């Protein structure tokens, strides 16, 4: 049973276990990675958590979004297009009585474009999409239009992202990798827009 739950590691709901759907491709971000990432974000966040708006674009288990909400984020918007996963997210939100969390069932890329067009902006965007579908390459270019000034993007991938050399992918243009690390088979990165990039 233990592999089908995540544990919140900080904030108001610290140590609270949350059930996770056993679904193909669902990979909750491991505790150790979340701890590292939230330490990174704490050092980079322009304001405090209680004013932060967060977008979890491929929410899956919701591990990242619930962690942000536990730490007092003003609002967390979780998006997933898998019905059973969305129902599990809603059940976990209700269990926590987390009124700072909004859960939407939608195609993440289409909704991201729609949010940008409506002028919605976020301090932190989590990108942890299913692997092998090129979703990071499609989602990251949508983020500049969704970020507040000084905002951060957390990106998880099956390979390391690199801005070096001729093989740096075009979709990484305009971004700086603030921090990056690897845990097991997971490569994780904290990204910030370069000055002047939009």
């Amino acid at each position: 049973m233990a592999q089908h739950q995540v544990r919140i590691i900080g904030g108001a709901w610290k140590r609270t276990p949350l059930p996770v759907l056993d679904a193909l491709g669902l990979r909750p971000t491991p505790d150790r990675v979340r701890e590292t990432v939230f330490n990174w974000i704490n050092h980079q966040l322009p304001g405090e958590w209680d004013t932060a708006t967060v977008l979890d674009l491929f929410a899956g288990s919701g591990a990242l979004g619930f962690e942000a909400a536990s730490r007092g984020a003003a609002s967390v918007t979780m998006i997933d297009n898998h019905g059973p996963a969305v129902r599990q997210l809603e059940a976990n939100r209700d269990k926590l009585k987390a009124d700072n969390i909004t859960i939407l069932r939608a195609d993440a890329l289409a909704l991201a474009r729609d949010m940008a067009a409506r002028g919605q902006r976020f301090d932190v965007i989590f990108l942890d999409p299913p692997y092998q579908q090129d979703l990071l390459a499609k989602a990251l270019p949508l983020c500049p239009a969704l970020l507040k000034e000084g905002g951060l993007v957390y990106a998880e991938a099956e390979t390391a992202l690199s801005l070096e050399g001729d093989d740096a992918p075009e979709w990484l243009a305009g971004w700086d990798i603030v921090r990056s690390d690897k845990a097991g088979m997971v490569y994780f990165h904290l990204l910030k827009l370069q000055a002047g990039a939009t």
Side-chain angles (χ1 to χ4, degrees), residues 152-167:
L152 302 165
V153 172
Y154 167 75
E156 217 171 281
E158 66 265 47
T159 55
L161 303 185
S162 173
L163 301 172
E164 307 300 317
D166 299 332
D167 55 352

Side-chain angles (χ1 to χ4, degrees), residues 11 16 21 26-28 35-36 41 51 86 102 105 110 121 150 155 157 164 176 193-194:
T16 304
L21 193 72
L26 204 60
R27 313 169 324 285
E35 187 151 15
T36 300
I41 292 172
T51 60
V86 169
T102 301
R105 182 177 181 186
R121 299 289 180 270
E164 307 300 317
D176 282 326
L193 278 173
Q194 292 169 2

Side-chain angles (χ1 to χ4, degrees), residues 58 107-109 127 129-141:
F58 302 89
D107 175 274
L109 299 175
L127 296 180
Y131 290 170
Q132 266 88 44
Q133 296 179 39
D134 212 26
L135 288 169
L136 199 55
K138 293 172 183 164
L140 191 61

Side-chain angles (χ1 to χ4, degrees), residues 78-96:
M78 297 186 186
I79 299 168
D80 206 280
N81 65 353
H82 185 241
V86 169
R87 286 191 289 278
Q88 183 69 73
L89 291 171
E90 289 170 342
N92 287 341
R93 176 192 60 191
D94 295 347
K95 170 185 171 180
L96 295 169

